[in-house]
Amino acid sequence: MVSIKKDFVDNMFSVAGKVALVTGATGALGKVLAKTYGYAGAKVMMTGRNEGKLKELEDEFKAEGIECAYSVADPADESQVESLVKATVEKYGEINILAVCHGYNKPQNILEQSVADWQYIMDADCKSVYVVCKYVAQQMVDQLNGAENIASGQGGKILVVTSQRSKRGMAGYTGYCTSKGGADMMIASMACDLSAKYGINVNAICPTVFRSELTEWMFDPESAVYQNFMKREPIGRLAEPEDFAGYALFLSSNASNYITGAACDCSGGYLVC
């Protein structure tokens, strides 16, 4: 028996009226995802460590009619994350979507990298994911109103940006590959904790290199780095931040209610070559 409803199809990608919290909002991808949610009708709380950049984003977004606010926080600092969640709820009443877009890397050979530098990468890319997801997930659980609302996707959506480097090693990336691989496994485990019991879907997207201030140099078609990438990029180019907007919206909407614990390949085919 066909049970699909027209109303579901018409609205399955909608996040209108939802509250989306975006970490790393001042970064290239964080900004794109925050604006994507805003254009789609969500109320957006942006966070990062640079208040000046956050204020610029707020002004830019509001000029385009996006309902938004910002709260300064270091995602690896438990007390600051707790305050961030509180500020979001005070502003918008709840949190329905979490998009974790922050990250850090300092490539070095293991023989040259200090333990302190390695630990900083782990804290920035793995511990911080745990802290943010823990506090937001608790808020999502607290705002459930009875067992009737504990259905797949109805408790909330958590989306974490990891990397295709979570699947493959790379010289100089003993910190980054480890942190992103750990984040993927953490997401799988969080899904086991949160999805069936609380209706919270938890997924990751694993992009390849995308354009940002830090990666712009890789986009020179004449460079050896770019040419090496093209040997393993079936899609024929490196990524732009907006290439991930649709995937993020999908994983934040009812269209993805049966997807949880997934580390979704967004590498332009890099991982299949």
Side-chain angles (χ1 to χ4, degrees), residues 1-21:
M1 178 183 294
V2 176
S3 59
I4 193 77
K5 304 295 184 183
K6 184 178 187 301
D7 181 66
F8 176 78
V9 174
D10 287 344
N11 296 286
M12 63 180 172
F13 293 103
S14 175
V15 296
K18 301 291 187 181
V19 178
L21 172 58

Side-chain angles (χ1 to χ4, degrees), residues 38-79:
Y39 283 155
K43 292 167 278 190
V44 185
M45 176 63 83
M46 301 174 289
T47 187
R49 295 184 296 179
N50 188 315
E51 183 166 13
K53 289 184 177 180
L54 287 168
K55 182 63 172 66
E56 289 176 3
L57 282 184
E58 182 187 49
D59 292 343
E60 177 185 334
F61 284 24
K62 285 185 174 180
E64 296 195 55
I66 293 173
E67 173 64 36
C68 66
Y70 73 83
S71 181
V72 179
D74 181 343
D77 186 307
E78 188 174 356
S79 64

Side-chain angles (χ1 to χ4, degrees), residues 105-109 113 121 171-173:
N105 190 22
K106 185 179 180 180
Q108 284 180 299
N109 184 287
Q113 188 170 59
I121 296 170
Y173 274 49

